[in-house]
Each structure stands twice: as C-alpha cells, then as structure tokens.
Amino acid sequence: MMAGTPTHTKRQVIDDSFLENRAKVLDLAAFLDRVDRAAGALDAAGAKEAPDDDFRTDALRRAIALLLDGKPERARRILELWSDHSTEPIPAAPMKGALGTVDLR
Amino acid sequence: MYIDPHIHMVSRTTDDYQRMALAGCVAITEPAFWAGYDRSTAQGFADYFRLLTDTEPKRAAQFGIAHHTWLCINPKESEDVGLAREVLGLIPGFLDRPNVLGIGEIGLNKNSRNELLVLEEHIALAKRYGVLILVHTPHLEDKLKGTILIMDAMRNQGVDPGRVLIDHVEEHTVRHVLDRGFWAGMTLYPDTKMTPQRAVDVFEVHGTDRLWINSAGDWGVSDPLAVPKCRVEMRRRGHLQDAIQKVSFDNPLQFLSQSGRFRLEP
Ligand SMILES: [Zn+2]
C-alpha cells in the first residue's frame, strides 16, 4: 500500500466525523443568522447596505455554492475562489494581516 | 519520536519544552520571525539572533531536545529596505554558529515589491553561503499568488529546489510546490490554517514524499503539540506506522540533514 493511502471505508469516515461536521454546518447557519440580526449598517458612514453586501459574507455564500456542485476537491476549489489571482507584486504592503478572501463582487 | 521542524520557542514557556519532550519530540528548528511588533533597529535583530543561537539551544537541551535555527529578517518587516539590508549584513556573522541550518523563514507577506526585493537578497545570501532555505508563504487570500512569486524568484536565481522547503502549504498550493521539485510543509493551526484532519487528507491525495508537518507554535493561538496530535489523527484513520514516521521524522531528517548541521542529540 502506498504511504498515505486512505484505509477507511466511506461508512467509517461518515460514522467517525458526521456529528463534528453537523455541528460545523449549524455554526455556519447561526453565524449568517447573527449577521442578519445584528444592528446597524455595515458602512461606518451609515450607508444602508444589506448585511450580505459585505465582501466576506458574499465570498462565503459563493463557497457554499461550490460545496453543492457535486464536483471533487472542494477544499482546493474554495481556497482558489478566495485567492488573489493577480500576478504582479503590489506597490507597497497596506497592512500586515490578510482578510481571508478577495472581493468577488 | 518526532521532529517539529518549525516552532518559535522564543514565544513559548519552558513548560512547553517539557510537554513536547514528554510527547516524544527530540529535535526542533526555529526560524527567525516577526515578534508581533516591528523592531526599531538592526541591533534588536542581533540580540534576537544571539537568543536563537545561544539561549534557546541551552533551554531545549534541558529536556533532551536538539535546537536548530534559521536566520533572516522576515517579510513582515521588509517594507523598510534600509533596515532589512542592515539586518542582512549581520547574518553572515552568525552563520557559522553550530545550530544554524540556513536562511529562514523568508518569503512574502502581502506580495509587495519591497518584500520581493528583500526576498531576492536573502536568496542571494543563501546561495553565496551554500545554505538551506526555509520559506514562509503568505496567509489566506495572498497565499497562492505569493507561493508562485516565491518559486519564480528561486528559479530566477538558479536555486536547487531540493534544498528549499516551502512552508504553510494548503490544498491549493501543495501540488504547485511539489511539482516544481520543492519540499513542502504543512502548518497545523487550531483555527486559521490547516487542521490535523485536513493535513491527513493532503497525504491521502498527494502522498507523503517531500512533505512534513509542523506546529509553527508562536505567540498567537497555536499548539506546540500539534505534530503529535496529527500523528494520533493518522493512526486513528488507519495509516501505517511507516507513513506516520515518514512525515513526522524521516522526511524532516532527510531534508534538514542536507545542512550537515542537523543533530538528534542536543
Ligand atoms: Zn513561523
């Protein structure tokens, strides 16, 4: 057997990890509900944007669509979806951290 | 027995050394990194390099752990090219210390022009002294672009990819890195990076050649026992002891031994 080859059956993988992933789906649902419920517009200047106008929740919704397309390598494809696909260095670093996704809108 | 080939012990307590030793850690490598604030002078880096080459090896040895290090100014502090060049000038004075394996963790953070310039100067330094390179790739949305820019910079200077480890790979970068002949590292972080579960998925999809795992434990939310936890996850999922040993001991041993400096005894 090649090193790294999966040894568990589909049934074993589901038995093993269903409850953990069931909880993660609920976390995601509750997070989107929490955003909907939260007060205030997203823009500090008071613009009346809907909560899903934020580029991050928008990116999350697009990733969820990828989960449902029935094709393999979902993790890789979601990471690619959220990635900066430009190829030239930027003039200067605007900050040290990263936001988690580019703006896909 | 395992090796944690990327951990920032400067940010960890002595209790962590003890717990790592109890979990089977026999050797670590500690790349120079960003301290959570910008150092204001090159002298601040000289003191940091003294800590990495003198203080930490002694602290690790108390628990039977062999400590090694990599030197650089990290990409988060590379926007100030003047300071970066001063620090680059200090590094040769430390390269002959017995626990120094090479230059690292160099790379990119926001993929800026100055970061790339400072990266290229580090690569040139590593080539001049014939030492190994440990690479930090950017986080989140910047990772894919940064990984490719870094590999291109290595190619442009004719670096042997077999002497470079590109760290923090994820599902969207691992294939690019391995296909170009580099070694790849997976960082097991509790929330924002790879989980042990996903790392084991990567082994199942891409095999175990030229891949290692590390905790990258530092001052942020991180886990100095991430490597043994991933070993447990592999075992739980039915992987053979050979495969577990390969990614957490044999592979780091093989890559790091190219330095001629790597030891399993403190
Ligand atoms: Zn690091």
Side-chain angles (χ1 to χ4, degrees), chain B residues 47-92:
Chain B
D47 287 339
Y48 179 40
F49 296 160
R50 228 161 30 78
L51 178 142
L52 290 172
T53 54
D54 186 37
T55 312
E56 286 303 329
K58 289 180 189 148
R59 209 156 68 105
Q62 292 174 49
F63 301 94
I65 295 175
H67 179 281
H68 312 80
T69 193
W70 309 78
L71 304 177
C72 74
I73 175 168
N74 74 87
K76 284 199 177 79
E77 285 167 291
S78 295
E79 275 300 310
D80 182 347
V81 177
L83 175 66
R85 286 188 173 139
E86 271 187 77
V87 176
L88 275 154
L90 291 172
I91 292 173

Side-chain angles (χ1 to χ4, degrees), chain A residues 50-86:
Chain A
D52 59 348
D53 276 343
D54 184 277
F55 72 99
R56 290 161 299 181
T57 40
D58 171 73
L60 206 51
R61 286 171 212 277
R62 292 174 199 246
I64 292 165
L66 279 187
L67 289 182
L68 300 175
D69 69 7
K71 295 182 194 148
E73 296 202 63
R74 297 168 184 86
R76 173 181 65 77
R77 290 187 294 122
I78 287 175
L79 285 164
E80 283 172 357
L81 172 75
W82 290 336
S83 292
D84 176 2
H85 289 275
S86 68

Side-chain angles (χ1 to χ4, degrees), chain B residues 1 15 27 29 37 51-52 59 143 154 169 226 244 256 258:
Chain B
M1 275 204 309
D15 289 345
T29 92
Y37 68 97
L51 178 142
L52 290 172
R59 209 156 68 105
K143 184 179 297 292
M154 297 281 173
V169 301
I244 299 172
L256 297 166
Q258 298 181 85

Side-chain angles (χ1 to χ4, degrees), chain B residues 6-8 31-33 105 136 168 189 216-218:
Chain B
H6 185 152
I7 184 162
H8 302 287
F33 84 140
E105 53 184 304
H136 164 95
H168 317 316
Y189 254 29
D218 60 13

